[in-house]
Amino acid sequence: MKPTDQNGQSQPQTDDSSNREATGDLEHLLGDDSASTTESDADRPLPDGGRTESPIAAFSSASGTTMSRQERAKVIYDRWIASPARVLRQDWRALVGLALLLGYVLMATAGVVLVDAPQVNQGPNLLGPFETLEHPLGTDGNGQDIVSLTVHATPMMLIMITAGAVFATTVATIVGVGSGYIGGNVDQALMTVSDIAMTIPGLPLLIVLAAAVEPSHPVTIGVLLSLTAWAGLARSIRSQVLTLRDVEYVEASRTMGISRRTIMLKDVTPNLMPYILVSMVGHARGVIYASVGLYFLGVLPVTGANWGLTLNRAYSTGGAMHSWDAAHWLIVPMIAIILLSFALLLLSQALDRVFNPRVRAKHMKTNHDAGGSSTSDSDAETDSMSVNKGL
């Protein structure tokens, strides 16, 4: 009802009263709408006869599931140790590759102690294999035992391929992650260097460097063999980082003010580790072939027993390509090279399966109650989510 004056005439409403009425009407309308919306959402029947909950209600309560330190340790052990071991145990490629690689490690450690070092006139010249137990694989043209030559060349080869693979992978990871995440001028500069490295012919460069440096230590030789091998892998890693730097959790880290270095180390690089490790194993095979080839050509200096050097002597002085009596001199080191490369190939294929999150999740007992654990699937899923957020 409108207010009137003393003469009975109506008076215009004041601004305060009109504002209060307008605000009250608006609150009433909003309250009715929100109430009606919540009520309609809650009362809306689903096709299966159930009722829906308000979208806000899902975030209104915290999870009541808590994990003790022992449970968290159990989940971590299952995720990073037990489930990868189960995947490897069920993959024949992993079993064969690891068995072969373990055999080479034993040759490089215990074998060099148990087997005498190769010497001239250890036995008769060009003794055939399986003729005597003293020299089961025969001897070369100088009377050196073939088993001794093979066993004592293994440590140098393992050190060489490890040094080369670690060097190339480390440089490629630093360049690829830095270039892809930082971008701008840094990206252009690093990719220009990578392109130059990829265009340099590897063999002439190695011949020049080997003649200039004359490397004798296997670590130095492994690094020299990998001087230009990192460039292609850096390019591949950079392309992976370009897709990772805009994902939600990286954006969240940037929003929280976390430093660029921390984001690259803790958010970006761990997600690339499966690809990096598989590439590293593949690069180790390249170091084997490069070192054997350069020793066979006589480019690298002679520092001890080496499979490439044995092949060179069997081909050049033993006539192994033309005489069956000297064929074992050529065949034995070739088998050693092939088996080591085959072991790394099988291992890289098995690692690719181990790092597959879907395959690894199938073998986690904390997510799947395959071992009769009392942990329910929903609780295990909640625990897994908690570990993902907290670790």
Side-chain angles (χ1 to χ4, degrees):
M1 183 176 181
K2 295 180 179 181
T4 58
D5 56 7
Q6 295 178 353
N7 298 325
Q9 295 180 352
S10 61
Q11 294 289 334
Q13 292 181 341
T14 62
D15 294 340
D16 294 340
S17 61
S18 60
N19 289 339
R20 284 195 297 271
E21 290 181 359
T23 304
D25 294 341
L26 182 59
E27 290 176 351
H28 177 70
L29 291 174
L30 291 176
D32 289 346
D33 291 344
S34 60
S36 61
T37 302
T38 304
E39 183 178 359
S40 62
D41 291 341
D43 296 338
R44 184 183 303 160
L46 291 174
D48 59 355
R51 298 284 182 180
T52 60
E53 294 183 354
S54 171
I56 303 175
F59 303 95
S60 60
S61 61
S63 175
T65 304
T66 58
M67 294 181 64
S68 64
R69 180 172 298 179
Q70 184 178 2
E71 291 172 340
R72 290 170 66 87
K74 182 179 179 182
V75 173
I76 293 172
Y77 171 78
D78 188 25
R79 169 166 299 180
W80 297 108
I81 298 177
S83 60
R86 295 187 195 104
V87 176
L88 291 176
R89 191 170 62 241
Q90 296 179 4
D91 193 337
W92 69 269
R93 297 169 299 184
L95 297 178
V96 175
L98 289 175
L100 290 174
L101 203 57
L102 179 62
Y104 281 94
V105 173
L106 291 176
M107 286 171 59
T109 54
V112 295
V113 178
L114 300 175
V115 179
D116 295 334
Q119 297 176 358
V120 178
N121 298 325
Q122 278 183 292
N125 292 344
L126 290 180
L127 182 67
F130 310 115
E131 293 185 4
T132 64
L133 292 177
E134 187 177 2
H135 308 288
L137 296 181
T139 59
D140 63 3
N142 297 322
Q144 298 182 102
D145 185 65
I146 298 297
V147 174
S148 299
L149 289 171
T150 305
V151 170
H152 283 267
T154 305
M156 183 177 182
M157 180 60 69
L158 293 184
I159 295 174
M160 199 183 308
I161 63 176
T162 303
V166 170
F167 171 78
T169 307
T170 302
V171 175
T173 302
I174 294 173
V175 173
V177 173
S179 174
Y181 185 80
I182 297 174
N185 295 329
V186 175
D187 182 23
Q188 293 181 1
L190 292 177
M191 286 302 100
T192 301
V193 175
S194 300
D195 293 339
I196 294 174
M198 284 192 291
T199 56
I200 297 176
L203 183 59
L205 177 65
L206 290 176
I207 293 175
V208 172
L209 290 176
V213 179
E214 295 184 356
S216 58
H217 198 278
V219 174
T220 307
I221 298 174
V223 172
L224 281 178
L225 296 176
S226 306
L227 277 181
T228 59
W230 57 269
L233 181 58
R235 272 281 185 187
S236 301
I237 292 175
R238 173 184 174 273
S239 64
Q240 300 285 334
V241 174
L242 291 177
T243 61
L244 287 175
R245 68 178 183 181
D246 294 328
V247 296
E248 290 80 2
Y249 60 89
V250 177
E251 290 282 358
S253 298
R254 281 198 291 265
T255 304
M256 289 186 292
I258 298 176
S259 65
R260 179 184 295 171
R261 177 174 173 273
T262 304
I263 293 175
M264 289 191 290
L265 288 177
K266 295 186 177 181
D267 290 340
V268 177
T269 304
N271 289 280
L272 297 172
M273 287 310 294
Y275 177 75
I276 292 172
L277 291 179
V278 173
S279 300
M280 184 176 71
V281 176
H283 182 72
R285 298 174 60 231
V287 176
I288 296 174
Y289 298 137
S291 63
V292 171
L294 292 177
Y295 273 109
F296 181 81
L297 295 174
V299 174
L300 293 174
V302 178
T303 55
N306 185 275
W307 297 334
L309 185 62
T310 305
L311 292 174
N312 177 282
R313 289 174 178 170
Y315 174 78
S316 60
T317 63
M321 295 293 293
H322 309 287
S323 174
W324 183 250
D325 294 336
H328 64 281
W329 191 0
L330 193 65
I331 292 174
V332 172
M334 288 179 63
I335 292 176
I337 296 168
I338 292 171
L339 288 181
L340 181 56
S341 176
F342 186 59
L344 294 175
L345 177 63
L346 293 179
L347 189 60
S348 65
Q349 294 178 352
L351 286 177
D352 183 54
R353 192 165 179 267
V354 168
F355 288 122
N356 188 328
R358 293 183 178 179
V359 176
R360 197 169 65 242
K362 291 180 181 177
H363 292 77
M364 289 184 62
K365 287 187 177 180
T366 49
N367 282 341
H368 301 276
D369 197 7
S373 173
S374 60
T375 305
S376 64
D377 290 345
S378 59
D379 291 343
E381 185 177 357
T382 305
D383 294 346
S384 178
M385 292 174 63
S386 301
V387 171
N388 283 334
K389 294 175 181 178
L391 299 177

